[in-house]
Amino acid sequence: MKDTDPDVELLARIGNNEPAAVNEMVRRKLPRLLALASRLLGDADEARDVAQESFLRIWRHAARWRSGEARFDTWLHRVALNLCHDRLRRRKERPLDEYDLLELADSAPSADEQLDTAQRNARVAAALAALPERQREAIVLQYYQELSNIDAAALMNISVEALESLLSRARRQLRSQLADTPGLARPGRGKP
């Protein structure tokens, strides 16, 4: 491996049952795990369950972690993705309802801004939920999780070219779905 994995020392400390190391790992990884699972599942409760199960797997495997085979963060994302896939298979891709979409929406200070933000977020969440699973996964990994194409492709067990193809198709579909929403018609720039 070309660069050092920043989580290896922390994993060793977790393997030695250091409570402070556990707290540090949760602080480092929880926000991204929740964001990944929330965007893929569209359900905050399920996202918390996925994050909790991911952390349980960290505790179980910390003492046996072998650095050099894969970056820890890549492994953790793969665990979370697999847990999300399992849940999606069990529920057969239940579409998001209005309550789920509103729960995903960000709040803003003023009532007008909050309403505008909620409406935009609901449109984006609905457009994201309408994507085929693999396209949605590619968009979430690259735009929301901010993974490189190489890392996202590795997590999805596909080539970089296949990932780029998924991203291209997903962007076109999102652009089409969001075309009549001011400020959302260009998912290729920033977050969709």
Side-chain angles (χ1 to χ4, degrees):
M1 225 161 65
K2 294 177 183 152
D3 55 336
T4 348
D5 190 336
D7 298 312
V8 170
E9 177 190 334
L10 191 55
L11 281 167
R13 291 176 46 215
I14 290 170
N16 291 330
N17 296 319
E18 289 184 36
V22 171
N23 290 336
E24 175 65 17
M25 183 65 76
V26 170
R27 188 190 63 74
R28 278 188 198 179
K29 304 299 180 183
L30 182 61
R32 290 191 69 186
L33 287 179
L34 285 173
L36 172 68
S38 291
R39 287 191 177 99
L40 288 176
L41 299 171
D43 183 299
D45 290 331
E46 279 193 296
R48 285 188 287 274
D49 290 345
V50 164
Q52 183 176 2
E53 179 61 28
S54 297
F55 281 112
L56 287 173
R57 292 185 187 193
I58 292 172
W59 316 150
R60 286 186 211 131
H61 297 286
R64 298 186 311 266
W65 180 257
R66 293 188 308 260
S67 63
E69 291 181 22
R71 289 178 62 91
F72 173 75
D73 200 52
T74 303
W75 174 82
L76 183 58
H77 272 80
R78 179 79 260 160
V79 167
L81 278 175
N82 288 343
L83 292 169
C84 288
H85 289 164
D86 291 346
R87 286 173 178 271
L88 288 170
R89 274 191 294 277
R90 278 196 299 266
R91 67 175 158 154
K92 303 283 192 241
E93 281 288 346
R94 174 185 68 81
L96 299 176
D97 60 27
E98 288 181 39
Y99 178 76
D100 293 332
L101 296 176
L102 291 174
E103 190 173 312
L104 291 174
D106 292 338
S107 61
S110 79
D112 287 344
E113 288 175 346
Q114 187 173 9
L115 182 59
D116 289 345
T117 300
Q119 289 172 343
R120 268 195 310 274
N121 287 341
R123 291 279 318 257
V124 170
L128 199 58
L131 290 175
E133 181 180 338
R134 297 292 280 176
Q135 289 179 20
R136 181 174 60 243
E137 187 175 318
I139 289 286
V140 167
L141 289 174
Q142 184 172 63
Y143 288 98
Y144 293 100
Q145 295 305 113
E146 300 176 351
L147 296 180
S148 70
N149 283 4
I150 293 170
D151 290 340
L155 280 172
M156 294 179 72
N157 294 320
I158 59 175
S159 68
V160 172
E161 293 79 16
L163 174 77
E164 289 170 352
S165 177
L166 284 170
L167 288 168
S168 178
R169 289 193 310 268
R171 285 185 204 112
R172 275 194 307 273
Q173 188 170 342
L174 287 170
R175 196 173 295 118
S176 171
Q177 291 177 9
L178 299 172
D180 63 343
T181 304
L184 293 178
R186 304 214 31 135
R189 295 184 185 187
K191 291 182 182 177

